[in-house]
Amino acid sequence: MYNIEVKATSGNYPIYIKNGLLKDIGEGVKNIYNGKKIAVITDANVNELYGAKVIASLKEVGFESFKIVVKAGEESKSFGTLLEVYDKLLDYKINRGDMIIALGGGVVGDMAGFAASTFLRGISLIQIPTTLLAQVDSSVGGKVAVDLPRGKNLVGSFYMPKAVFIDPMLLRTLNDKFFNDGMGEVIKYGAIKDKELFYKLMNYENKEDLLKEIDRIIYTCCTIKANIVEVDEKDTGERMLLNYGHTIGHAIEQFFNFTKYSHGEAVAMGMYAITKLGEELGKTEIGTSIAIKDILKRYNLPWRLPEIKSEDIIRAIRHDKKNIGEAMNFILIKSIGNSFIEKINEDKINDYMQKILKKTTI
C-alpha cells in the first residue's frame, strides 16, 4: 500500500493506494467517518461493476447506504443532473452530518464533488476513482465542477475530500480506449515534472507490463499533484502547470460537443500543439515536440489537431479559467520534465493559434 498525506490549507486528507482495496472499503471508510448515512453517487456503467459491492461493504460495517445512479458520460456534468442528485439527497434525508461517496471516473467525481460542496452548504466527501484518469488526477486536489454550454468546468469550487481511496485493480476492467485516455494525464505529469517517469513510460513492452507497476505510477502522479496543491491550492500560480495541454484540449472537447474526443485524447492533441508552439516561439527545446508525439503514438493517443478554425478555438479559450485580465496563461515546457507559465496578451493569441493550426492540423 502507498499512503500520501495531502497538506492543504483547508484541511489535510489521506490518499490510499492499494490493489484490492475496494473489497474492504467499508472498513476503510469507518476508520475516518463515524456518521451513519452515506449516499454513493455513481454512473450506470460503474454501478454494474461495483455498485452492489460497495453498498454491501458499507452496510456490513453498519452504515445506512444509498445509491444515486446517473447516466454515464460528460453530459452528466450538468445542472440538470445536479438538480436530480439534490432531489435524491433530499429523498434520502441526507443532512450535514452525513457523507457523499463519489464512485466513478472524472465526470462522477467532479459532479458528485460539486454536489457535496454545495448541498446544505457542504457535506463530507470521499472520492473512490475507478478510471486511470481519475486515479492519477481528477480525484486529487479538490477541484469539483459542472459544465456550462459555453465551456467546461465553468461553475465549480475547491472542496477537499476527507479521503481518496484508489484501487489500481479496477483498471483491469477498463477497455483500451479508456485506459489510454488516462495515460494522457500520466504522460502530462512526466512532461511537466518528471523526466524519469516520461521515459520510463516509453520503455514498457506492453500494457500488461505497465499494469504490473501501475500502483507505483499512480503514486508518482498523485505525489506530484499533492506537492503542487500544497503550495497553490486555489490555482493561482504553480498549480496552473497541471493544465499543460488542457487549454487547447478543452476547446477541442467543447467544439465537438464532448462527443468526438475523450478528455485524454483532447489533452494529448493539446500537449503536442502547445509544445510545437513553444518551439516556434523559441521557448521550448527543438525536438521536444517529437518526444511528445512519439509517446502519444505509443499509447494510441492522437497528436495532430482536427480540422478546426482558429476563431473557434479562440472563442472557446476566451472562457478559460486561466485568463487573467488582458493576458492568458499558457503552460509550456522548456524540455521534458521542465514546465513553466507563459503569459500571452490577448491581441497575440489569434496569430499564435494560426501558427499552431498550420503546424499541427490533420
Side-chain angles (χ1 to χ4, degrees):
M1 175 186 273
Y2 294 102
N3 293 344
I4 302 169
E5 185 75 12
V6 181
K7 299 179 177 65
T9 55
S10 57
N12 298 352
Y13 63 93
I15 303 170
Y16 303 108
I17 305 166
K18 182 183 178 183
N19 288 317
L21 172 151
L22 193 70
K23 71 180 186 301
D24 299 315
I25 194 62
E27 287 293 340
V29 172
K30 197 170 184 64
N31 287 335
I32 63 171
Y33 171 61
N34 58 11
K36 184 175 182 178
K37 285 186 182 180
I38 297 177
V40 178
I41 302 177
T42 189
D43 68 34
N45 292 343
V46 176
N47 181 51
E48 285 188 14
L49 293 168
Y50 309 117
K53 296 175 184 177
V54 169
I55 292 294
S57 182
L58 293 171
K59 288 185 174 180
E60 188 177 332
V61 296
F63 291 118
E64 185 180 349
S65 303
F66 314 92
K67 276 191 300 184
I68 299 175
V69 182
V70 302
K71 185 177 180 179
E74 185 75 27
E75 63 188 275
S76 286
K77 267 180 68 174
S78 66
F79 274 102
T81 300
L82 194 63
L83 290 175
E84 294 173 7
V85 168
Y86 289 149
D87 278 340
K88 290 290 187 182
L89 294 172
L90 290 170
D91 290 343
Y92 295 139
K93 296 181 173 57
I94 297 296
N95 63 48
R96 292 184 75 181
D98 299 325
M99 172 174 280
I100 286 175
I101 288 180
L103 173 68
V107 168
V108 167
D110 281 0
M111 185 275 296
F114 185 67
S117 75
T118 51
F119 187 71
L120 302 178
R121 295 194 176 92
I123 65 174
S124 296
L125 170 71
I126 281 177
Q127 293 275 5
I128 305 178
T130 60
T131 64
L132 181 57
L133 187 151
Q135 290 185 354
V136 300
D137 191 72
S138 62
S139 67
V140 177
K143 277 188 179 181
V144 294
V146 292
D147 302 334
L148 292 180
R150 294 173 65 180
K152 187 166 179 174
N153 298 329
L154 291 181
V155 179
S157 60
F158 294 91
Y159 195 69
M160 298 298 172
K162 296 297 180 186
V164 181
F165 291 92
I166 298 174
D167 184 348
M169 293 292 289
L170 305 187
L171 303 180
R172 294 185 175 273
T173 65
L174 289 181
N175 62 34
D176 287 345
K177 179 178 174 62
F178 281 104
F179 186 82
N180 292 339
D181 183 54
M183 285 305 299
E185 291 287 354
V186 175
I187 291 164
K188 174 197 79 177
Y189 281 103
I192 65 169
K193 282 287 182 181
D194 195 325
K195 181 178 180 179
E196 181 180 347
L197 170 64
F198 185 93
Y199 287 107
K200 190 173 185 179
L201 294 173
M202 286 293 291
N203 292 325
Y204 288 110
E205 291 293 326
N206 49 50
K207 180 180 175 181
E208 192 58 36
D209 281 348
L210 187 149
L211 282 171
K212 290 175 184 176
E213 297 186 6
I214 196 66
D215 56 342
R216 178 69 186 180
I217 291 170
I218 294 168
Y219 170 74
T220 299
C221 294
C222 287
T223 299
I224 292 171
K225 185 161 189 179
N227 290 339
I228 290 175
V229 168
E230 286 174 5
V231 299
D232 181 23
E233 183 177 330
K234 295 298 177 68
D235 203 14
T236 59
E238 187 175 358
R239 187 167 179 171
M240 291 185 193
L241 297 176
L242 296 171
N243 288 307
Y244 170 61
H246 284 60
T247 297
I248 295 171
H250 285 168
I252 293 169
E253 286 182 275
Q254 182 186 340
F255 181 78
F256 291 100
N257 296 315
F258 304 101
T259 57
K260 186 170 183 179
Y261 298 104
S262 69
H263 177 70
E265 289 170 340
V267 167
M269 291 184 279
M271 287 191 290
Y272 176 74
I274 202 66
T275 305
K276 195 70 177 173
L277 175 63
E279 291 179 343
E280 289 285 316
L281 298 176
K283 304 281 186 177
T284 301
E285 291 180 6
I286 299 298
T288 306
S289 64
I290 294 175
I292 295 294
K293 178 176 71 174
D294 287 346
I295 198 168
L296 295 177
K297 290 171 67 176
R298 187 172 185 82
Y299 288 96
N300 296 310
L301 288 164
W303 54 279
R304 284 195 178 105
L305 291 179
E307 289 286 352
I308 184 171
K309 295 179 180 177
S310 61
E311 54 264 34
D312 291 322
I313 287 188
I314 292 168
R315 190 178 301 113
I317 66 175
R318 285 191 195 283
H319 298 295
D320 192 282
K321 299 174 297 301
K322 295 179 294 303
N323 287 344
I324 299 175
E326 298 296 318
M328 157 149 255
N329 290 309
F330 279 87
I331 311 307
L332 303 179
I333 55 175
K334 182 178 181 181
S335 58
I336 299 300
N338 184 358
S339 56
F340 63 99
I341 301 167
E342 178 75 6
K343 288 185 181 296
I344 297 179
N345 288 333
E346 189 174 343
D347 58 357
K348 294 182 179 179
I349 289 175
N350 186 57
D351 290 341
Y352 290 157
M353 286 302 109
Q354 289 184 11
K355 282 185 178 180
I356 289 174
L357 291 167
K358 184 177 179 180
K359 294 287 182 179
T360 62
T361 303
I362 294 171

